[in-house]
Amino acid sequence: MRLPDCLFCGRSFRYKELLLFMRSAKKCPRCENSQYISPDSRLKGALYSFFFVVLFTLGAFFINASPSLYFISGLVILIGAIAASPLLIRFTRKEEPLF
């Protein structure tokens, strides 16, 4: 997996620029053109989020552990999901509907 490139000038985005990126449009720092997250990337992010929630829920259901262990494992899963999110982003030139 790679970080996405600007569709207009080819500049590669940095990891920290995309780490907490939550909006639909991202401006390139070099050329100032707006790019939008592709529907495939949004769907992939939603599926990964669903997978992490199911993983945590099943782990909590089948493992009889203390609440602090649930909190710590949930925090680790959340941090892992946030850390992986910039690697899932791909851009398009115009905003497209998810379905």
Side-chain angles (χ1 to χ4, degrees):
M1 294 181 160
R2 293 186 49 218
L3 291 173
D5 297 328
C6 175
L7 299 172
F8 298 97
C9 69
R11 177 190 179 272
S12 184
F13 284 95
R14 293 190 178 106
Y15 182 81
K16 72 176 192 175
E17 291 174 342
L18 300 174
L19 186 58
L20 296 176
F21 173 61
M22 301 253 184
R23 291 168 285 172
S24 63
K26 178 73 176 168
K27 275 193 173 186
C28 175
R30 184 191 297 167
C31 67
E32 298 292 323
N33 287 316
S34 292
Q35 304 166 82
Y36 302 92
I37 297 177
S38 71
D40 292 341
S41 294
R42 287 186 280 168
L43 185 61
K44 195 183 301 183
L47 289 175
Y48 279 126
S49 298
F50 178 73
F51 171 72
F52 285 124
V53 168
V54 168
L55 178 71
F56 180 70
T57 304
L58 287 176
F61 183 73
F62 287 115
I63 299 171
N64 190 13
S66 67
S68 61
L69 183 61
Y70 292 143
F71 177 75
I72 291 170
S73 62
L75 191 62
V76 168
I77 290 172
L78 178 66
I79 290 171
I82 290 172
S85 65
L87 301 172
L88 301 174
I89 295 175
R90 296 291 168 253
F91 289 118
T92 60
R93 292 181 185 262
K94 61 180 184 171
E95 192 166 16
E96 299 172 1
L98 185 58
F99 295 108

